[in-house]
Amino acid sequence: ALNPYDLWLMVVLISAVSLAGYLAWRLLGGKGPVLLLGALGGLVSSTATTLVYSRGARGKAELEGTAATVILLANLVKLLRILVLAIAVMPSILPALLPSLLAGIVVTLPIAWVTWRRHTEGEALENPELTNPTDLPVALGFGAAYAAVLLAAAWLNDLAGAMGVYAVAMISGLTDVDAISLSSFRLFGNGSVTAASAVMAIVVATVTNAVTKAGIVFVVGGRSLGMRCVWGFAAMSAAMLAAAFMLPG
């Protein structure tokens, strides 16, 4: 299950994807159009972006529309990030993966647009302080997480088949979807799971992650902001699950 060369290659890939967003964000100096900064923040860390904008809008009704839009966009960028990883690592899974990713994007974008249309101009929101993804501790942390998820997914796949992989996806999705996405690509590539099972694992992790983000918004940003965001998270999750269930096999 563990190949040191493959393991480090995935660390470099994730660091490179995150670095692209981080450099663009730094070039802007952390200032600029709030939606662009939110999208770039989502490319580096959708969790950090969700947390910071939730905290910034708490108790400020005039900022909730802006914060909710940025949070939804940051988490939509996460789907584009998965697409980039699939193209780089396992392009043969794209025919099965694309319907779920596109479904999530297509149904959530209109909700984000409506939320933005309802926003009001107010004071500027604080932008997240993003960590350089090429810092060695950050890279090693992802490498350790990826190794653990890959090992657990391979082991539980042997014990319980696809259901074991889904269990790992549900747990790992609480914090991140990159590790389980790459693990699913790897399992599909070596024939351990079908394309439909690999896609379902990624969707399960994404849905779990959306639930986590919704919880962050409610706890940190308050009920009002949470209600603005929950419809987008729910629509994205439902659309992705529906598309994944329609896959043959």
Side-chain angles (χ1 to χ4, degrees), residues 86-108:
I87 293 172
V89 176
M90 195 60 60
S92 58
I93 202 173
L94 287 175
L97 180 62
L98 271 175
S100 291
L101 296 182
L102 290 177
I105 293 171
V106 167
V107 302
T108 312

Side-chain angles (χ1 to χ4, degrees), residues 130-209:
L130 301 176
T131 304
N132 186 342
T134 59
D135 281 350
L136 191 58
V138 176
L140 291 178
F142 173 77
Y146 173 55
V149 170
L150 183 60
L151 189 61
W155 175 50
L156 289 178
N157 182 57
D158 284 343
L159 289 179
M163 294 304 295
V165 179
Y166 301 158
V168 175
M170 187 175 296
I171 295 171
S172 64
L174 292 171
T175 56
D176 180 63
V177 297
D178 288 339
I180 188 61
S181 295
L182 292 173
S183 299
S184 299
F185 296 155
R186 175 79 179 274
L187 291 173
F188 168 69
N190 61 28
S192 298
V193 299
T194 64
S197 295
V199 170
M200 182 59 80
I202 294 170
V203 170
V204 166
T206 304
V207 171
T208 303
N209 194 257

Side-chain angles (χ1 to χ4, degrees), residues 67-81:
T69 306
V70 172
I71 290 168
L72 291 177
L73 283 181
N75 284 277
L76 277 179
V77 169
K78 176 180 60 184
L79 303 186
L80 297 178
R81 183 183 171 104

Side-chain angles (χ1 to χ4, degrees), residues 12 46 77 81 84 94 113 132 196-197 236 245:
V12 172
S46 58
V77 169
R81 183 183 171 104
V84 171
L94 287 175
W113 181 80
N132 186 342
S197 295
M236 180 179 70
F245 274 119

Side-chain angles (χ1 to χ4, degrees), residues 5 13 44 51 79 83 108 123 138 143 160 169 187 206 228 242 249:
Y5 174 80
L13 174 62
V44 182
L51 180 61
L79 303 186
L83 177 60
T108 312
E123 61 183 286
V138 176
L187 291 173
T206 304
R228 286 177 181 258

